Amino acid sequence: MNTIVFLSFLAYALCLAALYFIWKLMRTKFTSDTRAQGFSIIVPVRNEERYLGELLDAIYRQEYPHEAFEVIVINDSSTDGTGKILADYKRRHPDNFHHQQLDLSSNFKGGHKKAAITQAVRLSRFEWLLCTDGDCLSGKKWLQAFNEKIIYEEDINFVSGPVTFFKPESIFKKMLSIEFSSLIGVGAVSMAAGKATMCNAANMAFSKTAFKAVDGYEGFAHLPSGDDEFLLQKIASAFPGTTHFLKDARAIISTASPDNICEFLQQRIRWASKWKQHKSIVPAIVAIMVFAFQLLVLALPVFWLFGMLRPELLLASLALKFIFEAIFLKSVLDFFGDFWSWRAFLLTFFLHPFYVITCGIMANSGSYSWKGRKFNT
């Protein structure tokens, strides 16, 4: 048992070391080509009056020719002031601002966001589609960063952009930022290694040609989640080597974090519930390995109490996990300019296994709420 436990944690530490070195080696390469190619910015919304005006203001403050982009907002039956905001922006920007109510076809059923993106793609007039959410904010050079990346790469069909939470103030929000950074970092490294696994729909771009070539969300259209990950993997499979992560601070999108633990768990259960829908067995194997490792972490004190694990190996295993997680996660947060909190990391370190086990179980045997709707996992 002692050998098995220590080798498991050593393997985990080595994986984190590999993630760290690949992340640090990732560099954004710039181009001197100043062409401003066109972008159709897609924003699916449902009850987003809290941030939507700020997002649209940020888009129209872009240091990018206004004639080279358009904004397409698809409104999914909002019941708040979202519709009023959209009508106001249409008056202010009649030439390149469009909004429609979501036309939910029978093919999509529960996949409202996929239906919204697909509807926007049909309306779009540019080759490149850039997606974000109604609770996000961008910097002034967001479009410029994506433009330079797409021009620089000779063969590219999908670009995943960096996403972080709004600057956290409370210890709870700092913990969420640390946990979220692990997902963004792993997704970025996987693309850099040629094994695209995950991205975030709050900041992703894809070519219309590739979207149509893989039949969009065909095969997954009915699922509430996966509008980002499934599309990424379909394009990566059909066009190997053409999916990239944009590690450029100008391309960062900031988004709202869950306000409380209930919202956080509902969001993560929704995300975790899609693993069993993958066509490939690889995501299932990865999910099972992650779940099993976190079970092992929780079992360590039990092994020690029953004399199955020597105390020095218990401490050495936890030290490996602590040190290498801190190194990798801090490097990702440093890129985003987020303030590192050792207190928040320590709390995350101890609570994370419980969260993974809880979400893993509920993602396979429960339900979740999203945008005022309830879905079964």
Side-chain angles (χ1 to χ4, degrees):
M1 177 60 72
N2 287 277
T3 302
I4 293 173
V5 168
F6 184 73
L7 288 179
S8 297
F9 277 82
L10 181 60
Y12 178 71
L14 291 174
C15 287
L16 287 172
L19 289 174
Y20 169 78
F21 283 114
I22 295 174
W23 171 260
K24 295 298 286 186
L25 289 172
M26 291 172 63
R27 294 285 186 273
T28 299
K29 297 175 181 178
F30 301 99
T31 175
S32 58
D33 194 330
T34 58
R35 284 175 297 158
Q37 61 187 339
F39 287 96
S40 294
I41 302 170
I42 298 174
V43 190
V45 298
R46 175 172 166 81
N47 295 336
E48 298 290 2
E49 67 175 354
R50 182 178 177 185
Y51 296 107
L52 183 56
E54 294 180 69
L55 165 68
L56 297 175
D57 283 344
I59 290 175
Y60 281 101
R61 285 197 299 266
Q62 292 293 305
E63 295 179 0
Y64 203 76
H66 280 208
E67 65 274 11
F69 72 86
E70 64 178 347
V71 180
I72 304 173
V73 182
I74 304 298
N75 186 4
D76 182 7
S77 305
S78 295
T79 56
D80 61 359
T82 295
K84 184 178 179 181
I85 295 172
L86 296 179
D88 176 59
Y89 270 87
K90 181 60 179 176
R91 286 192 297 271
R92 292 161 58 184
H93 303 281
D95 296 329
N96 67 343
F97 184 85
H98 317 280
H99 68 93
Q100 286 188 356
Q101 289 293 324
L102 175 62
D103 178 17
L104 191 61
S105 71
S106 59
N107 292 333
F108 286 91
K109 297 179 182 177
H112 294 251
K113 192 172 180 183
K114 297 186 188 72
I117 293 174
T118 302
Q119 184 173 331
V121 171
R122 295 194 189 108
L123 294 170
S124 63
R125 62 189 180 92
F126 293 116
E127 167 64 11
W128 274 93
L129 301 312
L130 180 53
C131 296
T132 190
D133 291 332
D135 58 353
C136 295
L137 286 177
S138 68
K140 293 182 179 181
K141 296 187 178 182
W142 178 50
L143 286 176
Q144 184 179 331
F146 271 88
N147 184 58
E148 291 179 9
K149 176 69 173 178
I150 292 166
I151 290 176
Y152 181 84
E153 300 291 344
E154 293 183 358
D155 191 13
I156 187 167
N157 281 302
F158 190 104
V159 184
S160 173
V163 183
T164 189
F165 287 143
F166 295 138
K167 186 177 180 180
E169 300 297 337
S170 67
I171 190 70
F172 172 68
K173 297 275 187 169
K174 290 176 182 177
M175 291 169 63
L176 296 191
S177 290
I178 291 173
E179 189 274 341
F180 189 59
S181 71
S182 69
L183 303 178
I184 300 300
V186 170
V189 170
S190 71
M191 268 179 269
K195 301 290 183 181
T197 57
M198 68 178 82
C199 63
N200 195 293
N203 198 13
M204 68 176 188
F206 53 88
S207 71
K208 189 186 298 186
T209 300
F211 185 84
K212 291 180 177 179
V214 300
D215 293 323
Y217 294 111
E218 182 66 32
F220 305 101
H222 62 290
L223 300 175
S225 188
D227 46 285
D228 42 19
E229 189 173 308
F230 291 141
L231 182 60
L232 165 67
Q233 293 179 6
K234 287 183 77 173
I235 291 177
S237 177
F239 304 98
T242 68
T243 57
H244 299 262
F245 182 81
L246 178 53
K247 190 183 177 186
D248 187 330
R250 299 174 303 167
I252 293 174
I253 281 285
S254 298
T255 188
S257 61
D259 288 326
N260 52 62
I261 187 65
C262 291
E263 285 188 11
F264 169 73
L265 289 175
Q266 290 293 304
Q267 183 187 67
R268 294 308 194 267
I269 291 167
R270 172 169 61 88
W271 290 357
S273 66
K274 62 194 174 190
W275 73 268
K276 55 189 175 184
Q277 305 294 339
H278 286 278
K279 303 297 185 184
S280 169
I281 195 174
V282 175
I285 294 174
V286 172
I288 292 170
M289 289 177 63
V290 170
F291 188 85
F293 181 76
Q294 298 302 334
L295 273 179
L296 176 61
V297 173
L298 293 180
L300 289 184
V302 178
F303 292 155
W304 172 66
L305 285 172
F306 283 88
M308 300 168 63
L309 183 65
R310 298 204 303 268
E312 61 270 25
L313 281 180
L314 169 64
L315 294 175
S317 298
L318 291 176
L320 279 173
K321 184 174 183 293
F322 184 91
I323 292 169
F324 283 88
E325 282 184 351
I327 291 172
F328 173 60
L329 295 176
K330 188 176 184 303
S331 68
V332 177
L333 284 174
D334 285 346
F335 163 75
F336 286 109
D338 289 343
F339 176 74
W340 176 259
S341 167
W342 283 105
R343 181 186 171 198
F345 173 70
L346 189 61
L347 288 170
T348 305
F349 178 80
F350 285 110
L351 293 176
H352 189 255
F354 294 98
Y355 137 72
V356 171
I357 300 303
T358 300
C359 288
I361 293 172
M362 294 186 69
N364 290 278
S365 59
S367 61
Y368 60 86
S369 297
W370 184 35
K371 300 289 185 181
R373 299 179 175 123
K374 192 170 184 177
F375 303 91
N376 293 321
T377 59

